[in-house]
């Protein structure tokens, strides 16, 4: 008997994600939670099913029940189908550590900008900026547009990047500026706030910390108030 987990795995594979971990890390989901839904250990709540359906481009009803038979039949209209848009996949905020995905997806969770034609559209994502750790560049409430690592050139000095830090099951996603200082790659805030001045070493493992670049920022968007 086909289960929600099996349909979720099918949707994930058809969306181009080779593994549950790749999907979770790319889409800013907690891996252990997503994996438990895909392997059938836990049944996701309806709002979570809708989030998965939007991310993988399938019908939420099909994920839940297997009906309609065509996974893409009657998928709700998305704004990107008409004008082109970049999906918002999470928030970036220095010092904000979470176990579960803290960003709430909505039907209009898209930045109204066409994907940059230099990069694959499905490798581009937007992040909502929270806080002032990069306020010399972007402000609280702005969005940054980024390309997943591996789908564009490697980050170079002075690029702004999306950084994932982990301590056990906790994760922090933030923006940093990449610099080569004293013979090592370091990730700096770019802020006027004295609280956000200390760099992080790329690839370091300190006190259980793992640090990696997950995307390179290629632009920003500021909604009109």
């Amino acid at each position: 008997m086909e289960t929600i987990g099996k349909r979720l795995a099918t949707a994930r594979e058809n969306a181009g994600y080779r593994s549950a971990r790749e999907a979770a890390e790319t889409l800013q989901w907690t891996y252990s939670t997503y994996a438990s839904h895909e392997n059938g250990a836990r049944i996701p709540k309806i709002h979570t099913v809708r989030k998965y359906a939007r991310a993988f481009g399938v019908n939420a009803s099909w994920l839940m029940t297997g009906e309609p038979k065509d996974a893409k039949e009657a998928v709700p209209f998305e704004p990107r189908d008409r004008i082109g848009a970049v999906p918002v996949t999470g928030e970036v905020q220095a010092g904000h550590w979470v176990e579960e995905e803290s960003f709430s997806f909505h039907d209009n969770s898209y930045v109204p900008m066409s994907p940059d034609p230099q990069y694959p559209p499905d490798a581009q994502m937007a992040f909502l900026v929270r806080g002032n750790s990069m306020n010399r560049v972007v402000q609280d409430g702005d969005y940054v547009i980024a390309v997943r690592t591996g789908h564009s050139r490697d980050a170079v000095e002075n690029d702004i990047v999306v950084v994932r830090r982990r301590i056990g099951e906790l994760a922090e996603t933030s923006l940093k500026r990449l610099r080569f200082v004293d013979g090592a790659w370091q990730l700096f805030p770019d802020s006027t706030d004295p609280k956000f001045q200390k760099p992080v070493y790329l690839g370091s493992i300190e006190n259980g910390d793992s640090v990696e670049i997950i995307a390179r920022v290629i632009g920003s968007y500021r909604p009109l108030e």
Side-chain angles (χ1 to χ4, degrees):
M1 179 179 176
E2 191 175 56
T3 63
I4 293 177
K6 289 182 179 179
R7 288 189 291 274
L8 192 55
T10 297
R12 184 255 304 158
E13 291 168 358
N14 289 341
Y17 299 103
R18 295 167 294 180
S19 67
R21 183 174 293 279
E22 180 183 1
E25 292 184 352
T26 299
L27 296 167
Q28 297 276 292
W29 302 334
T30 300
Y31 169 68
S32 59
T33 300
Y34 175 74
S36 71
H37 293 157
E38 187 174 302
N39 66 28
R42 293 170 56 190
I43 302 298
K45 295 180 179 179
I46 184 61
H47 68 87
T48 302
V49 172
R50 288 172 178 157
K51 175 180 73 173
Y52 293 156
R54 280 191 291 272
F56 296 148
V58 298
N59 191 319
S61 295
W62 174 81
L63 276 181
M64 285 291 294
T65 67
E67 297 291 338
K69 296 298 184 183
D70 183 348
K72 293 186 177 293
E73 183 178 335
V75 175
F77 174 78
E78 300 284 12
R80 61 181 172 175
D81 294 333
R82 182 182 58 178
I83 61 172
V86 178
V88 180
T89 62
E91 296 181 350
V92 284
Q93 182 175 0
H96 183 56
W97 295 83
V98 295
E99 289 187 3
E100 300 293 332
E101 173 54 52
S102 62
F103 185 81
S104 298
F105 284 77
H106 303 286
D107 289 341
N108 62 346
S109 293
Y110 295 89
V111 170
M113 295 175 60
S114 295
D116 190 316
Q118 295 182 75
Y119 313 105
D122 59 359
Q124 297 178 53
M125 62 193 82
F127 294 88
L128 176 61
V129 177
R130 293 298 190 194
N132 62 353
S133 67
M134 290 291 288
N135 67 0
R136 294 183 187 275
V137 182
V138 287
Q139 305 300 313
D140 181 80
D142 289 355
Y143 294 85
V144 292
I145 314 301
V147 182
R148 291 202 313 265
T149 300
H151 292 267
S152 70
R153 65 166 174 78
D154 292 339
V156 299
E157 189 161 13
N158 287 320
D159 276 353
I160 297 172
V161 292
V162 181
V163 177
R164 178 74 50 75
R165 299 173 65 194
R166 285 192 177 84
I167 300 178
E169 294 298 316
L170 295 178
E172 174 209 56
T173 306
S174 63
L175 295 178
K176 295 286 190 295
R177 189 178 291 279
L178 181 64
R179 290 177 179 159
F180 194 72
V181 179
D182 296 330
W185 287 106
Q186 299 182 44
L187 299 157
F188 283 81
D190 201 344
S191 175
T192 59
D193 189 335
K195 183 171 60 176
F196 297 111
Q197 302 297 326
K198 185 178 178 180
V200 174
Y201 284 86
L202 179 61
S204 67
I205 301 179
E206 301 174 355
N207 301 318
D209 231 357
S210 66
V211 183
E212 63 177 332
I213 294 173
I214 63 170
R216 181 173 65 85
V217 173
I218 59 172
S220 64
Y221 171 78
R222 179 172 298 172
L224 293 176
E225 298 182 354

